[in-house]
Amino acid sequence: DGGITQSPKYLFRKEGQNVTLSCEQNLNHDAMYWYRQDPGQGLRLIYYSQIVNDFQKGDIAEGYSVSREKKESFPLTVTSAQKNPTAFYLCASTTSGDSGTQYFGPGTRLTVL
Amino acid sequence: AQKVTQAQTEISVVEKEDVTLDCVYETRDTTYYLFWYKQPPSGELVFLIRRNSFDEQNEISGRYSWNFQKSTSSFNFTITASQVVDSAVYFCALRRINYGQNFVFGPGTRLSVLP
C-alpha cells in the first residue's frame, strides 16, 4: 500500500541527547515536510524539502536538522540545542503540481525525560 | 501575509445535530487552494477536501458539505447528523501557488460529539 510511514510511534529521550525521527514515503512525492504540534495547538513548520538534496527552514527550525538524500526519505534530527522538544511530530508529503495535496504520516510522539 | 483563522476553539454537540465549523482566510493572491483536514485522537491528519480559488461551487460528500465564499474569504465545513466518530480536531489550510510548497494551517477546532 502507498503511504507515509513514521517511526518510532513513541520515543523517549534523555536531556542532552540527539534523536532522529524517521519518515519514509512510497508515493513518489517530490516535496516533504516536518511539522511540530504541541498539545492543543496547531501545526508549526520545522523544515521542508522540494527536491532531493535541497531543503528550507520553516518557522521553527532552530534546534532541528534534516537531510534529503533520497526522494523517499526525509529524517528529522532533534538536537540537544532544542530546548523544549517534547511534542508530536508529523511528517507530510505533497503531490506534484500547483494543486498538490498534502498527506500526512501517523506521527511520532517525542518525550524528553 | 497569509493567515487562516478558525475562531471556534472547541464545539460540543449531541449526536445527530448538525454542526458548522468556520474558516476565514487572508491572502492577497488571486490563485490559491483551500483544504480541510481531520485529526482523530490517533493523531494522523486525514485529508478531507481541496478547493481552488476559482471554484466557488459548494460540495457535498455524504454527511459532509463545504461552503466556499470568496467574497467573505470563508470556507466553512458542515457535518450533518453528526456521529460520535466525527469527534476530532479539524484544520483548515491555505496553500499559495508559485510560492514553494508551503501550507498555512489554522489553529484547529476541536469537535466533540456526545452520544
Side-chain angles (χ1 to χ4, degrees), chain A residues 9 31 33 35 37 40-43 45 48 50 88 90 94-95 97-107 109, chain B residues 33 35 37 39 41-47 50 89 91 95-103 105-108 110:
Chain A
K9 188 172 183 178
Y33 305 73
Y35 291 92
Q37 186 179 29
Q41 303 296 314
L43 305 177
L45 182 65
Y48 68 101
Q50 297 186 59
F88 186 55
L90 284 157
T94 304
T95 55
D98 292 339
S99 61
T101 296
Q102 197 162 82
Y103 292 93
F104 287 81
R109 195 166 300 278
Chain B
Y33 286 83
F35 300 80
Y37 288 86
Q39 186 178 38
S42 61
E44 180 176 348
L45 267 75
V46 177
F47 165 69
R50 178 187 70 210
V89 180
F91 291 96
R95 182 187 180 197
R96 302 177 72 185
I97 305 302
N98 297 324
Y99 189 71
Q101 302 263 333
N102 284 358
F103 289 70
F105 283 85
R110 180 176 298 278

